[in-house]
Amino acid sequence: MAGIGFELKKLFKKESVFSTLFGGIHATAVTIGPTIIVIIALNIMYMLPPYIEMAYQEKEVLSSTILYVFIFSLILASPINIILSRYMADKIYEEEYTTIFTSVETGGLLIGISVAVLGIPFGYAMYTIGNLPLYYVFVAYLFFAGLSFTFYYMTFITVLKEYGKITYSFLGSLAVGLLVVIISVYLYDVKIVNAILLGLAVAFVLIATLLLVFIKKNFRHHSQNFRELFFYIKKDIWLIMANVFYIWGLYIHNFVFWFLSDHRIIVANVFISDPSYDMATYLAMLSNISILVIFVVNVETKFHTAYKAYCESIIGAGGKDIIKAKEKMIETLRRETIYIIQIQVIVNLIVFLAALVVLPKLGIGGLVLTIYPVMSVGYMILYLVQCFMIYLFYLDDARGAAFVGAVFLIGAFLGSLVSVNLPPALAGLGIVFGAACGFTAAFFRIRYMLIHLNRHIYGRGKIIKQVKTFNKKRDIITIYKFANRKKGGGSY
């Protein structure tokens, strides 16, 4: 979220209706704009007559391919992204720009190796076991690589505060992808399944290329220090583990239902899924994604300011002022968290009532709407867990965030093992249980950190450091100096 607050504070400063409206639009574009563009582009492709008339089995092959590509590219890229976000924030703060593009190349190499290790064996299975055409497998691999690198490069552009470039890259590239689909189908008589997959592959390879060009334009200096990024990976291993646990917790309940549910299907002998459960998950994600928008606005315009004031209160402030700044920060955190929950409950009720009316007309109903209500509650709690983990990052407690992520992952796994055997209306209880466990762990971890925050922030050399030296009589004395900033603060 690095840098988002500067723009939001300008927009919300006047506190007028229009500034609030534009601030909300800006926050939406920054946080979920690319997601909305992808959803719109996919739905336009799905509305083309050749796709509507296509056989059910072919539709399932395409939808399964897209599902697997999106899930596993996110799982693959996220651990590297979180550490690079930290690395770039530190380097920009320290004004050491020469190693940044080197880190881009190093991380890109890791992404490329991971894509090959994961994609080539699965592509081989698609060709040999699934009997899918070789060109279909090749285009699917390009789609997987393009999306993985897109997720990867987006981290750098976000830290550079070039949010518009991300949105415009998605908008323009997906428009090109849609044009490729239309030309392929109507001019060259390509099967719609192959055309849509080709359009998506072209779009995301183009997005990744454009983002890389933007990065290279900003960081032209190049060093030969390729090992520094690996030092960061070793130093901030808890930060990586927190992200890994959370991302796997986000999808572990789907994996359980893919393998154990009575409603699971196997497509082309290689794709396993539970379409009804996956669709309910997708709807629950969409109905609760507004939490992230509200969180970004409130944290970057309110909590970040209070947190910064508390950290800087050590400079020339008295004990009472430090306590006052701490209390204000805690009150801001409490108030904004309650506000997010209140707003999201209202949003969920409105979306649920709208879903009951609209979704049946779109052909989505039955088992999906039966699973959706409980699943929606689970995703609301799940996104709150993500918000709490970001608070822990602010408090420089990556170890605590990793603990929360692990509790969430284990809870979601165990809960799903039970809920997979329950009636469909209760199928979402697994993710509700896992999210509730993560929420509880995060609540008590944040409470512990806030109680001991003075010692944690000021007593470990984060703000000041102790330096032992000698006076003229050779007596050891201790002096205090302000420590150089080594962390990216709220740059997660």
Side-chain angles (χ1 to χ4, degrees):
M1 296 191 301
I4 295 175
F6 295 109
E7 297 296 328
L8 292 179
K9 287 172 186 174
K10 293 178 183 177
L11 292 169
F12 283 93
K13 188 175 181 180
K14 296 181 180 179
E15 297 184 353
S16 64
V17 174
F18 290 106
S19 63
T20 302
L21 177 62
F22 286 124
I25 293 173
H26 178 78
T28 302
V30 168
T31 52
I32 62 174
T35 302
I36 294 173
I37 294 171
V38 171
I39 292 171
I40 292 174
L42 276 174
N43 280 282
I44 292 175
M45 294 177 186
Y46 289 162
M47 287 190 294
L48 294 174
Y51 180 83
I52 296 175
E53 298 168 0
M54 190 172 58
Y56 173 79
Q57 185 65 26
E58 292 180 314
K59 289 182 180 179
E60 285 300 320
V61 171
L62 177 62
S63 60
S64 297
T65 303
I66 294 173
L67 175 67
Y68 271 54
V69 167
F70 269 93
I71 288 179
F72 289 103
S73 60
L74 183 60
I75 289 176
L76 184 151
S78 291
I80 300 176
N81 285 355
I82 191 69
I83 197 65
L84 284 170
S85 175
R86 180 65 166 265
Y87 177 84
M88 278 194 67
D90 287 359
K91 292 302 173 183
I92 290 174
Y93 178 85
E94 296 168 0
E95 299 183 357
E96 296 179 7
Y97 306 112
T98 57
T99 61
I100 289 181
F101 193 75
T102 304
S103 71
V104 175
E105 295 178 321
T106 305
L109 178 62
L110 294 176
I111 291 289
I113 293 173
S114 301
V115 167
V117 169
L118 188 60
I120 291 177
F122 193 80
Y124 180 76
M126 290 171 64
Y127 178 67
T128 57
I129 301 175
N131 296 318
L132 295 173
L134 185 60
Y135 61 82
Y136 183 92
V137 175
F138 176 72
V139 174
Y141 181 82
L142 286 181
F143 178 26
F144 178 50
L147 187 58
S148 298
F149 277 98
T150 296
F151 285 140
Y152 170 64
Y153 291 137
M154 281 176 64
T155 299
F156 293 90
I157 303 298
T158 301
V159 175
L160 288 172
K161 299 178 287 184
E162 297 287 356
Y163 316 113
K165 290 182 179 178
I166 295 177
T167 302
Y168 294 143
S169 297
F170 270 80
L171 190 61
S173 299
L174 283 166
V176 171
L178 182 59
L179 187 62
V180 168
V181 175
I182 294 173
I183 292 174
S184 300
V185 171
Y186 291 102
L187 293 184
Y188 294 97
D189 200 27
V190 177
K191 290 182 64 175
I192 187 65
V193 172
N194 299 329
I196 290 178
L197 194 63
L198 177 61
L200 291 172
V202 169
F204 282 101
V205 169
L206 182 57
I207 293 171
T209 303
L210 289 174
L211 295 180
L212 178 59
V213 170
F214 294 148
I215 295 169
K216 195 168 184 178
K217 187 179 295 185
N218 280 275
F219 301 108
R220 298 180 181 180
H221 300 288
H222 193 282
S223 76
Q224 299 301 317
N225 189 2
F226 290 95
R227 293 184 295 178
E228 187 174 14
L229 181 61
F230 294 102
F231 168 75
Y232 262 74
I233 292 174
K234 180 180 178 181
K235 183 181 72 171
D236 289 324
I237 188 64
W238 289 112
L239 184 63
I240 299 175
M241 296 308 299
N243 187 265
V244 169
F245 290 147
Y246 180 80
I247 290 296
W248 276 95
L250 199 61
Y251 295 111
I252 192 67
H253 60 110
N254 294 95
F255 298 156
V256 170
F257 274 78
W258 288 3
F259 288 96
L260 301 179
S261 172
D262 294 334
H263 301 97
R264 75 186 183 117
I265 63 171
I266 301 177
V267 178
N269 298 319
V270 290
F271 297 108
I272 305 173
S273 64
D274 186 338
S276 298
Y277 188 86
D278 293 339
M279 178 57 72
T281 300
Y282 172 70
L283 294 175
M285 181 271 292
L286 287 182
S287 61
N288 286 281
I289 203 169
S290 56
I291 287 180
L292 300 181
V293 179
I294 302 169
F295 177 77
V296 167
V297 172
N298 288 359
V299 167
E300 291 293 340
T301 59
K302 299 175 183 178
F303 176 76
H304 181 268
T305 302
Y307 173 78
K308 183 179 179 182
Y310 166 68
C311 289
E312 292 179 348
S313 62
I314 189 66
I315 305 174
K320 291 183 179 180
D321 293 327
I322 294 176
I323 294 173
K324 185 177 179 180
K326 176 183 175 182
E327 290 176 348
K328 182 178 180 180
M329 182 194 68
I330 294 174
E331 175 59 24
T332 302
L333 189 154
R334 184 194 66 81
R335 184 179 64 249
E336 298 309 321
T337 301
I338 294 175
Y339 174 77
I340 291 173
I341 295 173
Q342 291 173 338
I343 294 297
Q344 192 56 43
V345 168
I346 296 173
V347 171
N348 269 356
L349 290 175
I350 295 173
V351 171
F352 176 67
L353 293 175
L356 292 178
V357 176
V358 176
L359 292 181
K361 296 180 180 179
L362 299 177
I364 301 174
L367 197 58
V368 174
L369 285 182
T370 302
I371 299 172
Y372 168 71
V374 176
M375 183 71 71
S376 181
V377 174
Y379 262 74
M380 183 179 73
I381 305 172
L382 180 154
Y383 281 133
L384 290 173
V385 172
Q386 181 178 352
C387 296
F388 277 10
M389 290 177 69
I390 294 175
Y391 280 135
L392 287 171
F393 290 150
Y394 264 100
L395 301 177
D396 193 32
D397 187 28
R399 186 188 297 265
F403 169 72
V404 171
V407 170
F408 166 52
L409 171 60
I410 295 171
F413 177 67
L414 296 178
S416 298
L417 289 177
V418 175
S419 65
V420 72
N421 297 309
L422 297 178
L426 303 177
L429 281 181
I431 193 62
V432 171
F433 177 75
C437 290
F439 183 88
T440 303
F443 175 83
F444 283 103
R445 182 64 185 183
I446 289 177
R447 183 175 181 272
Y448 171 83
M449 290 300 300
L450 292 176
I451 291 174
H452 302 89
L453 193 58
N454 288 346
R455 183 178 65 185
H456 181 76
I457 294 294
Y458 299 141
R460 300 187 306 127
K462 298 300 179 181
I463 304 297
I464 59 174
K465 63 180 179 181
Q466 298 181 2
V467 181
K468 289 187 177 181
T469 186
F470 297 90
N471 59 14
K472 294 182 179 180
K473 297 181 179 180
R474 304 299 297 172
D475 296 325
I476 297 178
I477 60 174
T478 301
I479 63 174
Y480 296 89
K481 292 184 177 181
F482 290 108
N484 292 326
R485 177 173 170 174
K486 297 296 183 184
K487 305 252 179 186
S491 301
Y492 304 92

